[in-house]
């Protein structure tokens, strides 16, 4: 099975509040996007396309390995992945069987997570996501700040990346959301949500706390501790 990796790295990182795009922020002396590409490669996915902010392509080309393909991302994560997917389906290259889509913001994803995603695809899953249980009590809060309901957390899961897909399934799901009324696709925060819109079952596998997403400054501080030990 030939799998291609897509790294979504075109976000600005508003919540982290750094002086540069989040994927270029340093962790242990290297840009987050470099860690994310290395994570995919350590897990067995060597052919990688990275979606980067349109005006920062030169800065990304300076830090990334030469054999990584760069494409200009878009305004939303969905638009960025779509741009990378177009490069993956380049008619002048052999079409891969599978695509793994990974966040640049998950730099320390262990190779075993990628291995489990690949194994599920090999076993016939058309879509698979790594998940972890929700450990905190989870409630619904009204506009007035008052708790209105408790959510039973037993069936709840937190979804991580890389998310794995049969390539043809992912491409047709992205084509299908083009046909949605304007605004309907605005809420896709991951690729499994795009695929689920086409009615494709999304399987789950075991995630890993170390694949946590770097969103706010505290997450980066935790990751710095991880790479030091
Ligand atoms: N992403 C992307 N293109 C966008 C927006 C996000 O490729 N237009 C990527 C980010 O680079 C990141 C991943 O999607 O690796 C997850 O998004 P998130 O953590 O929300 O990153 P940002 O959008 O950069 O951060 P923020 O929402 O705080 O601005
Ligand atoms: Mg974002």
């Amino acid at each position: 099975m030939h799998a291609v990796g897509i790294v979504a790295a075109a976000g600005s990182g508003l919540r982290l509040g750094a002086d540069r795009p989040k994927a270029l922020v340093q962790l242990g002396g290297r840009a987050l996007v470099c860690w994310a590409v290395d994570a995919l490669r350590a897990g067995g996915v060597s052919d990688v396309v990275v979606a980067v902010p349109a005006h920062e392509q030169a800065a990304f080309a300076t830090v990334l390995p030469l054999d990584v393909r760069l494409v200009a991302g878009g305004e939303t994560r969905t638009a960025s992945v779509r741009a990378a997917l177009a490069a993956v389906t380049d008619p002048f290259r052999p079409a891969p069987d599978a695509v793994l889509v990974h966040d640049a913001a998950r730099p320390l994803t262990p190779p075993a997570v990628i291995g489990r995603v690949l194994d599920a695809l090999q076993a016939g899953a058309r879509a698979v996501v790594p998940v972890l249980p929700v450990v905190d009590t989870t409630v619904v809060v009204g506009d007035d700040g008052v708790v209105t309901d408790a959510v039973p957390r037993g069936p709840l899961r937190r979804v991580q990346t890389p998310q794995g897909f049969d390539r043809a399934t992912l491409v047709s799901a992205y084509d299908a959301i083009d046909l949605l009324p304007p605004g309907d696709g605005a809420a896709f925060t991951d690729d499994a949500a795009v695929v689920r819109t086409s009615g494709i079952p999304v399987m789950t596998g075991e995630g890993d706390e170390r694949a946590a997403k770097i969103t706010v400054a505290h997450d980066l501080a935790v990751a710095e501790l991880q790479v030091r030990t």
Side-chain angles (χ1 to χ4, degrees):
M1 187 182 68
H2 175 214
V4 167
I6 288 176
V7 175
S12 50
L14 290 177
R15 290 169 289 180
L16 188 60
D19 59 355
R20 63 190 85 177
K22 181 160 74 177
L24 288 178
V25 166
Q26 301 277 299
L27 166 65
R30 300 171 64 232
L32 293 182
V33 67
C34 297
W35 288 93
V37 168
D38 283 1
L40 282 175
R41 291 186 159 176
V45 179
S46 54
D47 188 2
V48 179
V49 179
V50 185
V52 306
H55 301 294
E56 302 275 358
Q57 295 197 53
F60 278 77
T62 307
V63 300
L64 281 167
L66 285 175
D67 58 350
V68 164
R69 282 185 278 164
L70 299 190
V71 300
E75 286 294 308
T76 61
R77 187 184 181 285
T78 307
S80 297
V81 173
R82 182 193 291 281
L85 206 47
V88 165
T89 49
D90 176 346
F92 299 104
R93 290 168 182 261
D97 308 296
V99 178
L100 268 65
V101 188
H102 191 39
D103 290 332
R106 298 182 187 274
L108 301 181
T109 304
V113 176
I114 291 131
R116 287 193 287 269
V117 169
L118 290 172
D119 287 349
L121 293 170
Q122 188 81 59
R126 295 171 73 187
V128 59
V129 296
V131 298
L132 287 174
V134 171
V135 293
D136 290 320
T137 294
T138 302
V139 297
V140 180
V141 179
D143 290 340
D144 55 0
V146 175
V147 173
T148 56
D149 216 347
V151 183
R153 70 184 173 209
L156 297 184
R157 299 290 182 272
R158 293 176 285 144
V159 180
Q160 301 186 313
T161 75
Q163 302 186 346
F165 304 93
D166 165 66
R167 190 244 328 140
T169 299
L170 186 62
V171 169
S172 31
Y174 265 84
D175 287 345
I177 61 170
D178 277 345
L179 306 173
L180 293 176
D184 272 24
F188 294 121
T189 57
D190 71 354
D191 308 288
V194 172
V195 163
R196 274 193 344 107
T197 301
S198 289
I200 308 295
V202 175
M203 308 298 289
T204 59
E206 192 188 347
D208 192 300
E209 295 292 354
R210 290 168 291 181
K213 186 159 74 73
I214 294 186
T215 307
V216 296
H218 172 77
D219 304 328
L220 188 60
V222 171
E224 286 286 0
L225 289 175
Q226 276 177 257
V227 299
R228 262 182 241 166
T229 53

